[in-house]
């Protein structure tokens, strides 16, 4: 083939690749993304020192070794105005070294770098410029900086068609040829589980988790209302399990584990249940002051292994008796991860029967406790545990014949 023809063929292949493939096909997020995001702990009060040291803590605390990869800078990093050529620029006071230098330092620690923008005309809360109309330029800028994950919010989006604008950003990301995770953050307004799997790797299913037990109950069904407490967000996930799988994940929002408003039992419960949901595990606590008992939750490798199970089947609630619930998730090896969840004010016994797991012929199964890290051995028909108020027991149940 003549060089000109080779070039023309290569160009056609590139164009076809960019238009035919979806973000789904770029091989990322085969298991739910894991990382840390600045928003829940710091909101807009971020700067490069703080992000760098959070990345250091991710390494020194053992989070990196446990699988947490992405260091995500949420809203608050942008300058108020774009440059004369339209390029996004970082706030020079908060990020004087610029985002490329920050990305380089995060990569040097063996971690990945995530960044925030908005699909509309302006970011949430900060009012900095959004990416509407600048999708290609912004994606190219992010790629040039070495970004590995882009979270795209939904403020100031009046009149926009969500599927269209997020598809535009997805194509723009693909066109850069840099593999980047696309994290859609449109709060479930336009049922993203129906369309975002084709163009993105994860999509928020609800409004923000405010780190409270069940706040927002009174207003959640009013126009513009959202569930705010994490147990209400949990309830909103139970019809969505069919939409998740490798490369495409429902996102019930970042973890509030370790933040004010969550006691230890509640932090452990959220972490366990998010793992049953195959949710992205994005920590949102202040890593600088993380006490050992919170590190002990975020670093529980047996629970993380449930979240990261390679088959990628999202779990669901299988039983509810008043405030006592059972959530279960089938795993690749034929076992199931099970959470016994007590929403009540007092500790309570909860019984799981093997038939709750759809195992009609299973009489004997072995039980491993994923928080006590102990095998309880073979049991016939059922397992009963005393579960603390607002707490969980999490076990892995394996039929004896496996
Ligand atoms: C929205 C998003 C949050 C966070 C803030 C930042 O509320 O849902 O996750 O990114 O904006 O302003």
């Amino acid at each position: 083939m003549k060089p000109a023809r080779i070039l023309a063929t290569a160009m056609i292949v590139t164009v076809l690749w960019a238009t035919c493939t979806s973000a789904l096909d770029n091989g990322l997020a085969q298991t739910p993304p894991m990382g840390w995001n600045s928003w829940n702990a710091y909101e807009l009060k971020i700067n490069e020192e703080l992000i760098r040291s959070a990345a250091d803590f991710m390494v020194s605390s053992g989070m990196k070794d446990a699988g947490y990869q992405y260091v995500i800078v949420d809203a608050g990093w942008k300058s108020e105005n774009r440059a004369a050529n339209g390029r996004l620029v970082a706030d020079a006071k908060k990020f004087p070294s610029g985002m490329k230098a920050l990305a380089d330092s995060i990569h040097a620690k063996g971690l990945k770098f995530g960044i925030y923008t908005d699909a509309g005309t302006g970011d949430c809360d900060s009012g900095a410029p959004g990416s509407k109309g600048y999708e290609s330029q912004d994606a190219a800028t992010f790629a040039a900086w070495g970004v590995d994950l882009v979270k795209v919010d939904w403020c100031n989006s009046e009149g926009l068609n969500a599927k269209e604008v997020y598809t535009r950003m997805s194509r723009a990301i693909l066109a850069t040829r840099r593999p980047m995770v696309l994290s859609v953050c449109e709060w479930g307004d336009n049922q993203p589980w129906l369309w975002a799997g084709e163009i993105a790797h994860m999509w928020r299913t609800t409004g923000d988790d405010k780190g409270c037990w069940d706040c927002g109950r009174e207003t959640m069904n009013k126009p513009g209302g959202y569930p705010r407490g994490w147990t209400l967000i949990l309830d909103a996930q139970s019809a969505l399990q069919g939409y998740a799988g490798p490369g495409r994940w429902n996102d019930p929002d970042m973890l509030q584990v370790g933040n004010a408003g969550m006691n230890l039992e509640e932090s452990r419960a959220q972490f366990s249940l998010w793992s049953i949901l195959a949710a992205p595990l994005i920590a949102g606590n202040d890593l600088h002051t993380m006490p050992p008992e919170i590190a002990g939750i975020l670093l529980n490798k047996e629970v993380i292994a449930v979240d990261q199970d390679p088959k990628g089947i999202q779990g669901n609630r299988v039983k509810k008796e008043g405030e006592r619930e059972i959530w279960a998730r089938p795993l690749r090896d034929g076992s199931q991860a099970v959470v016994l969840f007590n929403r009540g004010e007092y500790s309570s016994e909860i019984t799981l029967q093997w038939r709750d797991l759809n195992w009609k012929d299973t009489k004997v199964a072995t039980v491993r406790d994923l928080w006590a890290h102990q095998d309880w051995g073979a049991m016939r028909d059922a397992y009963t545990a005393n579960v603390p108020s607002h707490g969980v027991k999490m076990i892995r149940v394996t039929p004896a014949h496996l």
Side-chain angles (χ1 to χ4, degrees):
M1 240 197 278
K2 291 191 175 137
R5 192 168 283 180
I6 293 173
L7 188 65
T9 312
M11 280 169 67
I12 290 168
V13 168
T14 308
V15 170
L16 281 178
W17 181 84
T19 47
C20 297
T21 57
S22 63
L24 186 66
D25 298 327
N26 71 6
L28 296 176
Q30 291 304 296
T31 58
M34 293 175 64
W36 176 87
N37 175 303
S38 55
W39 182 253
N40 283 351
Y42 301 110
E43 301 197 336
L44 299 175
K45 298 179 286 300
I46 52 173
N47 59 58
E48 64 182 37
E49 256 331 292
L50 191 144
I51 302 294
R52 278 212 181 98
S53 61
D56 285 335
F57 276 106
M58 277 176 73
V59 177
S60 62
S61 65
M63 285 176 74
K64 178 186 162 222
D65 286 344
Y68 295 85
Q69 261 191 317
Y70 294 96
V71 181
I72 305 165
V73 178
D74 208 281
W77 67 267
K78 291 177 188 169
S79 156
E80 274 176 25
N81 297 303
R82 290 175 178 270
N85 63 4
R87 222 176 190 230
L88 282 174
V89 270
D91 181 317
K93 283 211 185 80
K94 292 159 129 185
F95 293 88
S97 317
M99 302 319 266
K100 169 92 173 68
L102 183 59
D104 289 347
S105 75
I106 286 171
H107 290 151
K109 301 181 212 297
L111 295 164
K112 292 183 185 291
F113 179 50
I115 210 163
Y116 168 99
T117 191
D118 186 277
T121 53
D123 289 356
C124 296
D125 298 287
S126 76
S131 289
K132 183 184 166 205
Y134 290 86
E135 291 86 355
S136 296
Q137 187 173 15
D138 291 354
T141 303
F142 296 153
W145 287 345
V147 166
D148 305 294
L149 177 150
V150 186
K151 170 175 171 178
V152 184
D153 216 338
W154 188 233
C155 282
N156 306 301
S157 58
E158 290 71 25
L160 294 183
N161 176 306
K163 184 177 175 186
E164 262 170 45
V165 289
Y166 283 104
T167 301
R168 215 175 295 144
M169 183 53 97
S170 174
R171 294 222 170 106
I173 286 175
L174 273 169
T176 69
R177 310 294 302 265
R178 181 175 174 85
M180 293 188 261
V181 167
L182 175 55
S183 164
V184 166
C185 179
E186 72 70 92
W187 320 317
D189 281 6
N190 298 279
Q191 300 185 299
W193 45 90
L194 297 179
W195 47 267
E198 299 302 317
I199 55 143
H201 302 88
M202 53 194 269
W203 53 88
R204 283 274 297 279
T205 54
T206 54
D208 293 9
D209 174 355
K210 298 286 190 193
C212 42
W213 175 254
D214 65 353
C215 56
R217 191 186 281 285
E218 305 72 30
T219 47
M220 62 190 251
N221 295 320
K222 304 222 164 102
Y226 294 95
R228 295 301 189 190
W230 69 268
T231 60
L232 303 178
I233 290 178
L234 175 70
D235 291 336
Q237 311 307 310
S238 67
L240 304 180
Q241 75 274 16
Y243 300 102
R248 42 165 76 199
W249 307 105
N250 288 304
D251 176 10
D253 203 4
M254 302 172 282
L255 296 163
Q256 289 283 6
V257 171
N259 285 335
M262 306 277 285
N263 68 30
L264 208 53
E265 292 298 346
E266 292 164 347
S267 281
R268 208 177 281 128
Q270 186 186 36
F271 196 68
S272 305
L273 287 156
W274 262 225
S275 298
I276 291 286
L277 293 174
L281 294 181
I282 310 294
N285 55 322
D286 180 352
L287 300 182
H288 305 75
T289 58
M290 175 161 64
E293 59 275 19
I294 295 301
I297 294 175
L298 293 174
L299 294 173
N300 184 330
K301 291 193 178 162
E302 295 198 74
V303 177
I304 292 172
V306 170
D307 182 75
Q308 297 288 300
D309 185 76
K311 202 142 186 217
I313 301 173
Q314 180 173 332
N316 201 7
R317 181 161 48 208
V318 297
K319 199 170 186 181
K320 179 169 177 63
E321 281 173 353
E323 287 166 321
R324 293 173 296 176
E325 299 185 2
I326 297 177
W327 291 71
R329 173 174 179 187
L331 302 173
R332 183 172 64 173
D333 66 359
S335 66
Q336 293 203 44
V338 180
V339 167
L340 312 184
F341 180 34
N342 176 10
R343 294 186 186 228
E345 289 302 309
Y346 304 99
S347 63
S348 177
E349 282 203 340
I350 302 183
T351 296
L352 162 76
Q353 288 177 305
W354 303 162
R355 63 166 185 266
D356 299 332
L357 302 176
N358 247 333
W359 287 337
K360 298 198 179 59
D361 301 325
T362 298
K363 291 262 171 286
V364 178
T366 56
V367 172
R368 177 162 178 84
D369 188 319
L370 304 189
W371 285 107
H373 304 296
Q374 294 215 28
D375 289 319
W376 299 142
M379 298 194 181
R380 182 166 281 274
D381 295 329
Y383 163 81
T384 298
N386 197 276
V387 185
S389 161
H390 288 196
V392 292
K393 285 275 175 197
M394 185 167 187
I395 55 175
R396 193 167 177 145
V397 191
T398 311
H401 65 266
L402 278 186

